Amino acid sequence: MNERASKNGVPPSVGVDVSGIEALLNRNLPEVFGEGDPARRRSAIQELYTEDCVLYVPPGTFVGHDALDKFAGDLRATHPHYVYTPHGSPQVLHNSGRLAWGSGPKGETPAYTGVDFIIARDGKIAALYVYLDSPPT
């Protein structure tokens, strides 16, 4: 394996706010995609995402707070009683992170599962890629 350091000799991941990226991943599920109250969801989006954020999901690409809010709200309306449950802990590498999750009625086997992969910038989510293991039913 070829290990390379940055120009100043420090590995690129040194100094990355690992706990901040973990927090973004852990908060995104319940506070954005699991939130049924539009005002609380919008507040979380403004706190967690850059204004020019990009959401990549199987139905398409959505840019900005308004598009993300509409997508999350529309998705929430299709399964209002579902909760998002992390499967394991977030993993962080440099300015990115990932978190596996399941969604379904609370206390039951998830109806569908997936993985969120984020790119962080300035302490916020700049891009979210959502990989589904199986489509929602």
Side-chain angles (χ1 to χ4, degrees):
M1 175 182 269
N2 183 10
E3 294 184 32
R4 294 179 5 157
S6 64
K7 291 179 184 179
N8 62 7
V10 177
S13 59
V14 170
V16 169
D17 182 7
V18 172
S19 65
I21 293 175
E22 288 174 345
L24 290 171
L25 285 161
N26 282 324
R27 290 182 61 197
N28 182 58
L29 286 173
E31 294 180 32
V32 175
F33 289 92
E35 180 56 64
D37 180 88
R40 285 196 303 258
R41 180 177 48 249
R42 184 59 180 222
S43 177
I45 287 170
Q46 291 173 334
E47 186 177 340
L48 300 175
Y49 283 84
T50 63
E51 287 188 32
D52 62 344
C53 64
V54 183
L55 169 65
Y56 299 95
V57 288
T61 302
F62 302 87
V63 179
H65 287 177
D66 290 343
L68 170 60
D69 192 15
K70 180 172 178 2
F71 179 84
D74 289 350
L75 178 63
R76 187 81 199 135
T78 65
H79 300 94
H81 61 289
Y82 278 23
V83 296
Y84 288 90
T85 305
H87 291 173
S89 298
Q91 293 179 298
V92 176
L93 179 64
H94 305 291
N95 66 331
S96 69
R98 68 178 183 170
L99 179 63
W101 50 265
S103 183
K106 188 174 186 169
E108 295 183 21
T109 301
Y112 64 102
T113 59
V115 175
D116 285 353
F117 176 84
I118 66 167
I119 303 294
R121 178 175 17 101
D122 299 326
K124 293 187 175 192
I125 300 170
L128 168 61
Y129 298 80
V130 178
Y131 295 87
L132 295 178
D133 299 320
S134 58
T137 55

